[in-house]
Amino acid sequence: MTDAAPVTPGGGRPRPTVTERVGDWLLLPAGARRPDPRRGEGPWRRVDGDGAAELFESGPGPDWSGCPRRRIDVPGWRLWVYGELYPVAEDPAELLRAACGRDPDGTATFDPSGLDGHFLLVARGEGEGDWRLFTNRFGTLHGYVGRSGDRVAAGSGFRDVAAAVHADRLDWIGLAGLFSHGFFPDDRTHFEEVRQLRPACGYRWTARSDAVGPVGRRYWSWARRTWGHGRDEAVDELGRRLGAVMADLGPRPGDGARVALPLSGGLDSRSTLAALGDGALGDGVGLWTYGYGYGRRSIETRIGRRLARRRGLDFHGFEIGPYLFDRLSVVDGALEGFQDVIQARQICVSEELAARSDVVIAAHWGDVWLDGMGVRPDAGDDDLVDSVLRRVQKRGRRWLLDELVRPHLGEDPDPLLRRRVGASLEGYRHLDDPDLRLKAWKTDHWSARWTTASLRAFQVASFPRLPFYSIRLTDFLTSLPTPWLSGRGLQIDYLKRFAPDLSRVRWQAGDANLYLYPYRRALLPVRAVRKLGRLLRRERVLERNWEVQLLGPQGRRGLESRLLAPGLRLHDLVPPARIRPLVERFLAEPTPALGYTVSMLLSFGVWLEGG
């Protein structure tokens, strides 16, 4: 790939754009030494640069499909769009052109607040060394910036950025959050020298290390916009908007893109299928439906198969077996230590997903937008902090905090983390609805740090499209009164109105179909008979991945190898004499709390070893 020409400011229509697939990107000062790519195929290829900085890209690899990328020139800017802008069928150059402007002094400006999609933008301005980074509104596609001494870097791969700046100081406040909550707080990472780019922020990047700030400038803020119509009209509007989003992101006749649609026992994947409509599922449409669960009688795959059959679709059900230790390096390469390795169940079907799809519909975060947070309307600041901590604090965190974090912090991490949660909630005080305040916090923190990290497990095989992160939906759903959403009420009514056939299929969490769900108390005897039948058949219902991955023979051998083998870096932080009793207690009496402790310790140990 040759170097691109300089940016040409001024008018004129943008040049035609071509979508390419890349593994990762890395932005460095001109002439800086490049680390070897940690994912995908090497070596790095220079794609653009000026006298101050250079942009490099790696190719996809056998265990990392990366993401789509387009380079687009618009007035005042050269832009690299990593990921996808929605609607995907529209010309992205026109969408980006609409975000361009000029200050009164003639300086080129860029406002991405109206852009929709799963993307991150790298932009080079008219002046030498004028580089910008823009996350999307919800920070769904991750990027990192690092600095240490005179070294500075930005990129899509955490390990690439850390290696470029020689990061080596563990961030114990960040790790306290990871062990306690399952995700890093604020924009922290494993290293003090590296920060994750925040949602809805623009960053000015220069080759001078003292000019790279850890906090970007926010270009969009949460606001309460009130829906001015009745609840019945809101159900219709949800159908219209979700239908429009899925018509854009789902399979289209003649498009050529192969789309995978996971189906499970929940309401969100069912809603994506409902929104496709019968007319979108005809001959010549590249749609593959699948699901996975534990055992041949998995309720997840049984419900997924029934949903697919209602729409005349083939369904491929997969049984999750003990895959983890065979594919641990692949899991770690995708997650990069930002999530418990047990959570990335997508990896178990990644080979089939890669063979059958180009994109996958990931219905994440629908359960947040389409439900209430259970917060009282008069909840105060302390109430909201308590509510957050009840949701995020993990059973089983105590051993990790006491054995790993406290010796380095010199204090109990719990009060520190509580103060940080309280401080982070201050940014949402302008929202007069406590439920929306909590939902906004959860999206900016939990989603941006944990939920969207799991999307990288899809990228091992296929690029995810995110209907429930489309601002066409979120702007509408955040305008609705909380009581309409509580208990999934609006979503249930949407499904009964627009997809009665799918509504007659059992909802796993509700243990009834959507018509019988309001009378679920009367169904308690039926559920008791089901449970008695399982006991008589001596069926053990597995619904937790840590049981499958850690408790069998492969799991026991894997824990011994990854946590107790001589010479592990983990032993520099906690001696094996402290780890062995924990592992033995877990294997003798496995509980969810101990399962979390051991799996998160495993995740950290694997990250320390580099995969």
Side-chain angles (χ1 to χ4, degrees), residues 198-217:
R198 295 173 182 254
C201 282
Y203 293 75
R204 182 185 292 273
W205 193 96
T206 79
R208 300 194 325 274
S209 61
D210 61 346
V212 181
V215 179
R217 181 177 180 181

Side-chain angles (χ1 to χ4, degrees), residues 266-432:
L267 295 184
D268 297 332
S269 67
R270 181 179 320 210
S271 296
T272 60
L273 178 61
L276 285 175
D278 292 327
L281 304 179
D283 294 338
V285 174
L287 180 65
W288 179 60
T289 68
Y290 74 96
Y292 39 73
Y294 302 110
R296 290 174 297 172
R297 297 179 59 85
S298 164
I299 184 63
E300 289 183 271
T301 52
R302 277 188 285 157
I303 292 175
R305 182 172 288 106
R306 289 170 187 166
L307 292 169
R309 285 175 177 171
R310 293 290 171 115
R311 294 298 166 97
L313 297 169
D314 291 331
F315 177 85
H316 297 259
F318 298 93
E319 182 178 344
I320 298 177
Y323 66 85
L324 180 64
F325 288 98
D326 290 337
R327 308 211 69 201
L328 197 49
S329 62
V330 178
V331 176
D332 181 72
L335 301 183
E336 295 191 297
F338 283 83
Q339 191 186 78
D340 181 352
V341 293
I342 292 295
Q343 303 296 327
R345 296 195 306 167
Q346 304 98 310
I347 297 293
C348 74
V349 298
S350 62
E351 293 177 355
E352 292 83 358
L353 192 62
R356 295 174 179 267
S357 72
D358 303 302
V359 295
V360 56
I361 303 298
H364 293 54
W365 220 240
D367 60 330
V368 174
W369 302 124
L370 287 158
D371 200 355
M373 292 287 98
V375 182
R376 300 193 323 269
D378 61 345
D381 292 347
D382 287 342
D383 296 322
L384 288 179
V385 173
D386 290 339
S387 184
V388 166
L389 293 176
R390 280 196 302 271
R391 286 168 166 80
V392 302
Q393 285 183 334
K394 304 293 187 182
R395 290 182 296 167
R397 72 186 190 282
R398 194 73 262 162
W399 189 96
L400 297 164
L401 295 179
D402 289 344
E403 297 291 340
L404 282 166
V405 178
R406 189 166 188 164
H408 296 273
L409 283 183
E411 61 176 300
D412 183 358
D414 275 344
L416 171 65
L417 293 173
R418 181 183 179 88
R419 291 193 299 271
R420 297 193 71 86
V421 167
S424 64
L425 279 165
E426 288 291 320
Y428 308 94
R429 291 181 65 90
H430 64 286
L431 299 171
D432 58 6

Side-chain angles (χ1 to χ4, degrees), residues 439-469:
K439 192 172 289 188
W441 183 93
K442 191 173 181 180
T443 303
D444 280 347
H445 294 264
W446 187 332
S447 168
R449 311 290 174 231
W450 186 86
T451 305
T452 52
S454 68
L455 296 175
R456 295 203 291 268
F458 283 120
Q459 283 182 258
V460 168
S462 191
F463 191 70
R465 288 179 175 171
L466 314 178
F468 290 109
Y469 286 94

Side-chain angles (χ1 to χ4, degrees), residues 149-213:
D150 60 354
R151 301 183 184 94
V152 60
S156 57
F158 169 70
R159 283 195 169 100
D160 295 327
V161 173
V165 300
H166 296 191
D168 60 3
R169 298 194 307 272
L170 290 175
D171 186 336
W172 288 105
I173 295 177
L175 289 167
L178 176 68
F179 296 145
S180 178
H181 305 161
F183 57 90
F184 284 96
D186 305 319
D187 59 357
R188 290 179 178 268
T189 71
H190 301 80
F191 291 124
E192 292 183 2
E193 299 95 335
V194 184
R195 291 288 184 264
Q196 183 175 329
L197 303 183
R198 295 173 182 254
C201 282
Y203 293 75
R204 182 185 292 273
W205 193 96
T206 79
R208 300 194 325 274
S209 61
D210 61 346
V212 181

Side-chain angles (χ1 to χ4, degrees), residues 499-526:
D501 56 333
L502 305 182
S503 300
R504 293 188 179 93
V505 177
R506 181 181 173 190
W507 173 25
Q508 185 177 351
D511 206 20
N513 72 43
L514 301 187
Y515 293 100
L516 294 177
Y517 175 67
Y519 314 105
R520 59 194 178 278
R521 293 182 184 275
L523 299 174
L524 287 175
V526 177

